[in-house]
Amino acid sequence: MEVALGVLALVAIVCACSALGHKINVPVPLLLVLAGVVGSFLPFVPTIELNPELVLVGLLPPLLYAAALQTSLFDFRSNRRSIGLLSVGYVIFGTVGVGLVVAWLFPEIPLAAAMALGAVVAPPDAVAATAIARKVGMPRRIVTILEGESLVNDATALVCLRAAIAAIGGTVSAAEIAGGFVLAAGGGLVVGFAAAFVLTALRKRIRNVPINTSISLIAPLVAYLPAEAIHASGVLAVVVTGLIMGTKAPSMPNGAARLSQRSNWHTVQFLLENSVFLLIGLQVRTIIEGVRDDSLGPERIWLGCAAVLLAVLVLRPVWVFPATYLPRLIPAVGRKDPAPHWQVPVIVSWAGMRGVVTLAAVLVLPAGLEHRSVLILMALVVVAGTLTLQGLTLPALVRRLHVRGPDAREDALNEASLMQMATAAGVRRLQELRSDADPPEVVAMLKRRTQERGLAAWERLGRPSAEAATPSQRYAQLRLAMLEAERAKVLELRRGGGYAHEVLLNVLDRLDVEESMLDAALEEPDADGSGGEGIARPRGVCDHLESAPDTAVPPGPFCAACVREGTTTVHLRMCVQCGNVACCDSSPGTHAYKHFQRSGHPVMRSVEPGEDWRWCYPDELLG
């Protein structure tokens, strides 16, 4: 009964804090930690001990798997150098750096135990950094690097922790440590690939949606447990499996299973990642009480905790800045990946919040270790300090540095263009498959519905929200009203008892599927995110667009300003008046818009493959 009440209270607090955080615009992780801290000091709240096994086996694998499912393997691969330097290089550097600081401050603590604490506090949390990164609207590449780091760094940290704990119990050689790293990395990769291969083969052959979804839900343990059994990195195996499964999922058959997987994993991720922060707060009272009788003394302990927190905050930029710029001194690397502006390493340095893995890992330290409670308190102070200092100030830092996130207008234009190309491919396939025996009205209806879906993407770009709804929006509004009447009629007939329950459920399910599609169409935010003016009118007409010349696209176009300044180009645009090629508004340099500001040339066009639209800056019209 107590367990059931505890789970009920946990879910209720998570949902309430999440809703409140979004309403008052406060980061949900910080709100949940605060709620946990308050709860830990309330007399009627029982003492909750964080079981390391629960976190490292029950929470960490599904959390990492859920994050890996949503991470692009292609983006991960294109940023592998930056991710590797952070997830492996920085974790080892942080482990040694913090370990030396602790050993210097507290000679009573063995060096191996100090290194174990360093391994515990080295990896930033897999949830906190990316949750806040997405909320404040960081550039996509920064978010990708932080996500990739948080997926892999736990594996490195846990391997370092194992080596440190082995050293606490006796002697361990450098060769043994190196062998442990090789086994952990190599074994984790092999098991991850094998698990992904087996799971993908199973899910391709299983059409039953509940069974297919259940296989997806057990995937983290399928990868984690075999890897741990051979003393490899279960965390790395889970990440590899998630990356591969997430990449292969869109091309697998059974769309209903894909929708079910996505919905279920969103729910699992929401509950687990928010419960994690609440659990962190609930540990505060127990950990503080554990150091009261320690022989080191309270003043020395708390000063040491502050020093360790300071070391964690300082060591990250000490590593990030050289790791960002030194590799690019190699000509081949510099040409392929120019150095970013200094704002990028500043943000990456400050996005280093620690989380529940730090607390769970520190509890793995041997129970008989002297001053163990002090090491646990240090880990808690690092978690609370980074979540508070960095979590609260990161949004302000991003705004202060004028770092722009993804441009909503650019995304909306690219979505419409992508949908147009997909629609054209569908219509071509229809022409290939149709035969003289096909009813003309069926072919016409298929073509019309496909084209209407593509046009809806352009419509969403066009009208201010104060004006009448677009045709697609009006269709959705009217169809929703019809579905409401249809559902009411079915429910009325259900009360009469004249139809079998299974028949009624099948009809209601069909109505729900259609309603969910219409809800998604109506709930799409305006392109500028403000709910106000649209960003373009499809097939718009203005004097600038009418008189714009048809300038030929040069072969091999590139943004010269990006090359000169060392910034990254996302998409290319060309001024139709002078032929200047520059990067889009989603690129860090926004050189196409800057060219318009300098020159006053009003119209640019996309020079991306398959795109032929134009944009008028003064009139904000798409042509």
Side-chain angles (χ1 to χ4, degrees), residues 345-428:
V346 168
I347 293 173
V348 172
S349 298
W350 199 241
M353 289 75 77
R354 272 62 173 179
V356 73
V357 174
T358 294
L359 277 184
V362 78
L363 294 176
V364 175
L365 293 176
L369 180 65
E370 192 176 3
H371 307 298
R372 179 176 181 269
S373 58
V374 176
L375 296 175
I376 295 174
L377 179 62
M378 288 178 180
L380 173 66
V381 169
V382 169
V383 172
T386 53
L387 281 175
T388 303
L389 293 175
Q390 296 179 325
L392 286 176
T393 58
L394 184 59
L397 176 66
V398 172
R399 290 192 295 268
R400 181 77 174 176
L401 295 178
H402 305 291
V403 175
R404 299 181 54 178
D407 186 80
R409 300 186 308 174
E410 188 78 21
D411 284 351
L413 287 168
N414 289 331
E415 180 185 340
S417 178
L418 182 62
M419 183 63 74
Q420 179 180 340
M421 289 187 284
T423 298
V427 172
R428 285 195 302 270

Side-chain angles (χ1 to χ4, degrees), residues 12-243:
I13 294 172
V14 162
C15 293
C17 288
S18 181
L20 179 63
H22 288 106
K23 186 176 181 64
I24 63 177
N25 200 28
V26 172
V28 175
L30 299 179
L31 201 60
L32 285 164
V33 171
L34 180 61
V37 172
V38 172
S40 70
F41 286 96
L42 295 177
F44 56 85
V45 176
T47 300
I48 298 177
E49 295 185 4
L50 193 62
N51 187 331
E53 191 79 7
L54 170 66
V55 175
L56 297 178
V57 178
L59 295 181
L60 186 59
L63 275 175
L64 290 175
Y65 184 79
L69 279 178
Q70 302 174 53
T71 301
S72 168
L73 180 59
F74 305 103
D75 291 342
F76 187 96
R77 192 162 50 199
S78 63
N79 291 283
R80 59 185 178 275
R81 186 189 68 253
S82 299
I83 292 172
L85 286 171
L86 286 172
S87 60
V88 179
Y90 167 68
V91 170
I92 296 174
F93 175 75
T95 297
V96 175
V98 172
L100 293 177
V101 169
V102 173
W104 174 65
L105 290 172
F106 300 99
E108 301 89 342
I109 297 177
L111 178 61
M115 291 294 173
L117 178 67
V120 162
V121 301
D125 182 62
V127 177
T130 51
I132 295 177
R134 293 189 183 279
K135 180 179 176 60
V136 301
M138 292 186 194
R140 284 198 174 96
R141 188 178 187 191
I142 295 181
V143 176
T144 298
I145 291 173
L146 292 176
E147 282 181 337
E149 177 196 9
S150 64
L151 287 174
V152 181
N153 60 8
D154 289 329
T156 307
L158 292 177
V159 172
C160 292
L161 179 60
R162 285 178 184 172
I165 291 177
I168 292 173
T171 58
V172 59
S173 66
E176 290 174 326
I177 295 176
F181 269 100
V182 172
L183 174 61
L189 287 172
V190 171
V191 173
F193 278 109
F197 176 81
V198 172
L199 291 168
T200 301
L202 281 174
R203 296 190 63 201
K204 280 183 177 179
R205 289 165 173 78
I206 296 175
R207 306 294 299 181
N208 183 282
V209 174
I211 297 176
N212 203 305
T213 304
S214 299
I215 292 175
S216 172
L217 292 175
I218 65 170
L221 293 179
V222 170
Y224 184 87
L225 294 177
E228 290 294 317
I230 63 172
H231 303 291
S233 173
V235 169
L236 186 58
V238 169
V239 169
V240 171
T241 302
L243 286 171

Side-chain angles (χ1 to χ4, degrees), residues 259-296:
L259 290 174
S260 177
Q261 171 188 275
R262 191 177 304 120
S263 175
N264 280 283
W265 271 112
H266 281 170
T267 303
V268 170
Q269 186 177 19
F270 168 79
L271 289 175
L272 290 185
E273 70 182 19
N274 286 297
S275 299
V276 155
F277 294 108
L278 185 60
L279 289 172
I280 289 174
L282 289 170
Q283 307 306 304
V284 170
R285 180 180 177 181
T286 302
I287 293 174
I288 291 177
E289 290 177 348
V291 299
R292 285 181 178 176
D293 301 325
D294 194 276
S295 60
L296 294 176

